[in-house]
Amino acid sequence: RVISMSLGGPEDLPELHQAVKDAVAELIVRLQAMGKTILIIEHDIQFIERFAKRVLVLDGGRVVLDDSPERVRGNTLLHQIYFGVANG
């Protein structure tokens, strides 16, 4: 089974009230505890780090990073893709 949840467009989650983000994160953690796999498309890595075990980063439709949230966040390629600069 696939569970689909829409909170708006791809940039809308950062605009949500913190209580809503907390409730969504809690729901995701409960679904994970039930053995569910969840696919989330989100740009807020701090939000994703609360529950994700694996993060994929796409660039031009191709997977360019596939690792833990911590390793993805510190990867220079992520900073180049999103900010046009190296991490530093």
Side-chain angles (χ1 to χ4, degrees), residues 1-52:
R1 292 192 154 178
V2 175
I3 297 172
S4 175
M5 204 179 352
S6 177
L7 298 173
E11 273 76 39
D12 290 340
L13 194 54
E15 301 300 321
L16 290 177
H17 189 276
Q18 187 62 44
V20 174
K21 289 172 86 170
D22 291 343
V24 169
E26 183 179 317
L27 173 62
I28 291 167
V29 169
R30 285 190 310 199
L31 290 169
Q32 286 176 321
M34 295 168 54
K36 305 295 181 190
T37 298
I38 302 162
L39 171 66
I40 300 169
I41 300 169
E42 178 51 45
H43 294 106
D44 182 350
I45 192 122
Q46 290 177 330
F47 175 73
I48 295 299
E49 285 179 323
R50 294 167 69 176
F51 47 80

